[in-house]
Amino acid sequence: MSLALYTHNVPLTQKAKFWGDFVSSLKGNADLCAAPEPHITNWYPSITETIPPTYPGLRQEFGKLESLMWGQRAGSRAPTPVLPDANNRIHTVGYNYCPRAY
């Protein structure tokens, strides 16, 4: 979208302010860069923290499962362990995926 089209339906005073700010930013008097977005980290509680303390056995079992899950490395096994030949065929050069229309 061109800037003239952007300001086409804007009142004259706002248009003058916009173009004045735009030209001064090109000269270096104003900064047009947006502020950097903050890095947001989502923290999820452990499932063992959500289980009531009245179920210690359940907390222990889920703790074992959780430690197994966090201990595994990403990508340590094949993405398609059932059909490894199909996975290799899909990733060969020149293969085009054409799903059938039913």
Side-chain angles (χ1 to χ4, degrees):
M1 175 188 300
S2 69
L3 292 174
L5 185 61
Y6 176 73
T7 59
H8 180 71
N9 293 322
V10 177
L12 186 60
T13 54
Q14 285 181 327
K15 191 183 291 188
K17 178 160 177 26
F18 171 80
W19 283 109
D21 291 344
F22 178 74
V23 171
S24 65
S25 69
L26 294 176
K27 293 179 182 178
N29 295 339
D31 191 12
L32 275 184
C33 296
E37 294 183 14
H39 181 70
I40 299 171
T41 304
N42 293 330
W43 180 82
Y44 299 102
S46 167
I47 189 138
T48 58
E49 294 174 12
T50 59
I51 297 173
T54 55
Y55 302 102
L58 195 59
R59 289 181 100 175
Q60 183 181 11
E61 290 300 316
F62 272 107
K64 288 178 189 177
L65 288 172
E66 202 171 57
S67 63
L68 283 173
M69 188 176 70
W70 289 114
Q72 289 180 350
R73 291 187 308 155
S76 62
R77 56 187 167 153
T80 54
V82 178
L83 300 170
D85 294 333
N87 186 42
N88 293 337
R89 186 180 69 230
I90 289 171
H91 290 97
T92 57
V93 175
Y95 179 80
N96 292 324
Y97 176 67
C98 299
R100 289 187 248 170
Y102 292 100

